[in-house]
């Protein structure tokens, strides 16, 4: 476990506009948590699906892919053919930990740069999401990017813990942990 406090408790980064800070904190935690919890996992383990759970590799790819797609909507644009194709292969196994984390970082950096460049006066401007063009706002999208990323980090952590427990022979899911 990290000895540092969570990113939001490390003091404000005054170089980042207050509107963008929660997303920056979320992405810092995404990077740190995924790096920590995937340390020592093999490529095979990253793509393992115990009890039909989503693979860790999928969650890492999906966090980056979702951030990228939602950033496109944030900019008021439609998804590209490449983005739609990428969505279909997020669960495709094989990428290494380094490749997954590098790809994730690049996508998070793109999203961060867009959010940091936002004019705060646009915070409540309307945006449309998806093929159905569902209504949202700039603020709604930024908030969802952060919370959606954290949801998938949580799933990746649970899967990583389970894989490590199974690897070490301590994966009895019926036992109750002692306090």
């Amino acid at each position: 476990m990290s000895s540092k406090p969570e990113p939001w408790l490390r003091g404000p980064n005054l170089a980042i506009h207050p509107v963008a800070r929660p997303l920056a904190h979320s992405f810092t935690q995404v990077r740190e948590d995924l790096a920590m919890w995937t340390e020592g996992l093999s490529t095979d383990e990253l793509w393992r699906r115990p009890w039909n759970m989503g693979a860790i590799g999928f969650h890492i790819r999906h966090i980056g892919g979702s951030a990228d797609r939602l950033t496109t909507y944030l900019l008021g644009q439609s998804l590209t053919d490449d983005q739609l194709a990428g969505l279909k292969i997020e669960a495709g196994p094989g990428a290494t930990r380094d490749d997954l984390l590098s790809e994730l970082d690049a996508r998070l950096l793109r999203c961060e740069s867009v959010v940091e460049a936002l004019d705060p006066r646009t915070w409540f401007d309307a945006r449309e999401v998806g093929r159905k063009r569902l209504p949202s706002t700039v603020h709604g999208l930024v908030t969802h990017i952060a919370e959606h990323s954290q949801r998938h980090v949580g799933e990746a952590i649970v899967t990583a813990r389970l894989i490590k427990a199974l690897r070490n022979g301590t994966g009895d899911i019926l036992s109750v942990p002692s306090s």
Side-chain angles (χ1 to χ4, degrees):
M1 299 300 273
S2 174
S3 62
K4 294 189 286 189
E6 290 185 1
W8 67 279
L9 292 171
R10 296 179 195 165
N13 179 343
L14 299 177
I16 301 173
H17 192 282
V19 165
R21 266 187 225 142
L23 183 73
H25 290 149
S26 175
F27 282 179
T28 298
Q29 190 155 1
V30 164
R31 289 177 177 105
E32 291 175 3
D33 283 350
L34 289 174
M36 180 177 68
W37 287 101
T38 61
E39 181 70 35
L41 292 177
S42 69
T43 299
D44 179 60
E45 288 172 322
L46 288 171
W47 292 101
R48 200 165 283 162
R49 298 185 65 218
W51 293 291
N52 209 29
M53 298 168 77
I56 298 163
F58 160 76
H59 289 296
I60 295 171
R61 265 199 192 137
H62 184 68
I63 292 165
S66 293
D68 182 65
R69 290 184 294 275
L70 292 167
T71 299
T72 299
Y73 296 133
L74 185 61
L75 292 168
Q77 300 169 355
S78 297
L79 298 184
T80 66
D81 290 340
D82 285 346
Q83 286 172 311
L84 292 170
L87 176 61
K88 293 177 183 175
I89 62 167
E90 284 179 353
T96 67
R97 176 181 180 267
D98 288 345
D99 290 341
L100 289 166
L101 294 178
S102 178
E103 177 185 323
L104 173 67
D105 189 53
R107 288 180 161 183
L108 297 184
L109 285 170
R110 173 185 179 252
C111 181
E112 286 170 322
S113 69
V114 168
V115 172
E116 288 172 12
L118 286 173
D119 180 342
R121 295 173 293 187
T122 67
W123 202 236
F124 297 103
D125 286 3
R127 292 293 185 268
E128 295 176 332
V129 179
R131 291 181 180 158
K132 293 183 180 180
R133 302 170 63 107
L134 298 172
S136 189
T137 61
V138 168
H139 168 55
L141 277 161
V142 171
T143 300
H144 182 66
I145 293 167
E147 66 87 17
H148 183 262
S149 298
Q150 290 299 320
R151 180 184 314 154
H152 282 278
V153 167
E155 292 183 57
I157 290 170
V158 168
T159 305
R161 291 182 70 182
L162 178 59
I163 287 171
K164 289 176 181 181
L166 291 170
R167 179 205 299 156
N168 297 327
T170 59
D172 181 0
I173 63 169
L174 300 177
S175 67
V176 177
S178 59
S179 333

